[in-house]
Amino acid sequence: MELPGALSPPWWLLLLLPSGLLLWARRRPPWDPRKCPADLTGKTVIVTGANSGIGKCVAMDLARRNARTILACRSRERGQAAVEEIRAATGNPAVVLRLLDTGSLASVRAFARAVLREEPRLDVLVNNAGVTGLPFTITSERLEQTFATNYLGPFLLTNLLLDLLKASAPSRVVNVSSFRHSVGTADSGFLTGQRHPGGYDAAYSSTKLMNLLFTAELARRLRGTGVTANALSPGVVSTSIMRHFSWAVRALFVLLRPFIKSAEQGAASTIFCAVSEEAEGVSGKYFDSSCRLALPSAPARDAALARKLWEASERLTGLTEGPRG
């Protein structure tokens, strides 16, 4: 979250304490993954952005449940280190690395081709990879970097793997969103950089609103297939996602660290959507960081906006023919 430039002591300190106490009070969810007996023997899962933070904790949990666990990571070195750590911790040899950069549609297509060629089934797809704090950047594919990484890449990946998910039903798509979606704007012009939401915090919030709209429209299209799609907020979590922010914001999060969720705690709502009995058969919903059903913002519930965004995303990813932009 972007820190306003005017925020300085003593107001900074006055705001810090109550914020920290509130976050501390909300840091432990009522649903505990360790008490969930779900066994994923014979099932295959994909977790994007699984080399660190929430993604690695989710992959660790699913591997402990005996799933064939595919870590979809941008960095070979960090991804392989995570694979070895998870194998050693869980005793599960079926933990593998596949390279994926969700900010590149070419990378998404190559990853999906490999999965469809090599994997006979796919039971859970966790779209976790995300970035924040990046400057406004247009990629070689004429897309804005943050929107491509957080929204458009996962949109394409999910669509390319839908047939495999349907063939493996009952199966689940889990999209990691954020409570920050409530201040986002779903403008398809943001995807190509034709328009810009403002600072990088506004860009991040807007991608998370798009994740929710995508989830709602995907769930509508998947009715009757046995594939469910849900979105969640992990809450405020201490992870490396803040690495691109200014030193002031990073310093704030260091001070707040004792009061906010660890990556393991922040992974609970994602794991809940991926494996819990309570989420079985539930689709098109939004769960908060305590693993409870929550009502997202009014724009996130706008079915017409969801369809409009879907159609624009299909054109931009080449899933349907039409002019870009």
Side-chain angles (χ1 to χ4, degrees), residues 243-286:
R243 64 189 180 276
H244 299 296
F245 277 75
S246 68
W247 68 267
V249 177
R250 295 198 305 272
L252 173 61
F253 268 76
V254 169
L255 290 171
L256 284 174
R257 189 168 292 161
F259 305 104
I260 65 179
K261 292 183 178 184
S262 66
E264 183 178 4
Q265 291 168 332
S269 51
T270 304
I271 299 167
F272 175 87
C273 291
V275 305
S276 74
E277 184 178 356
E278 295 91 327
E280 184 176 354
V282 176
S283 193
K285 302 302 182 182
Y286 171 61

Side-chain angles (χ1 to χ4, degrees), residues 277-301:
E277 184 178 356
E278 295 91 327
E280 184 176 354
V282 176
S283 193
K285 302 302 182 182
Y286 171 61
F287 292 86
D288 66 16
S289 59
S290 295
C291 308
R292 295 179 295 217
L293 276 173
L295 188 67
S297 66
R301 307 194 306 272

Side-chain angles (χ1 to χ4, degrees), residues 113-148:
R113 283 195 300 268
V115 169
L116 295 175
R117 183 175 63 248
E118 299 168 7
E119 303 297 333
R121 64 181 302 116
L122 176 58
D123 300 272
V124 181
L125 170 62
V126 179
N127 288 311
N128 163 78
V131 295
T132 187
L134 295 180
F136 177 81
T137 305
I138 302 299
T139 71
S140 60
E141 295 171 319
R142 295 182 292 142
L143 302 171
E144 203 288 317
Q145 185 70 69
T146 297
F147 284 90

Side-chain angles (χ1 to χ4, degrees), residues 156-221:
L156 177 60
L157 176 64
T158 304
N159 275 280
L160 293 177
L161 297 178
L162 273 185
D163 286 345
L164 186 57
L165 285 160
K166 291 175 183 177
S168 308
S171 53
R172 307 186 191 191
V173 177
V174 179
N175 293 326
V176 178
S177 182
S178 169
F179 66 92
R180 294 289 300 165
H181 80 272
S182 61
V183 294
T185 304
D187 184 333
S188 60
F190 295 165
L191 302 176
T192 57
Q194 292 176 325
R195 289 179 291 279
H196 195 263
Y200 41 66
D201 186 45
Y204 175 79
S205 300
S206 295
T207 64
K208 294 306 174 181
L209 172 58
M210 290 179 179
N211 291 153
L212 276 171
L213 290 165
F214 163 49
T215 301
E217 179 64 10
L218 177 63
R220 186 186 71 81
R221 291 169 179 249

Side-chain angles (χ1 to χ4, degrees), residues 39-60:
D39 182 10
L40 301 181
T41 300
K43 298 185 182 297
T44 298
V45 304
I46 294 174
V47 183
T48 69
N51 61 273
S52 65
I54 290 172
K56 186 168 76 172
C57 292
V58 171
M60 182 80 75

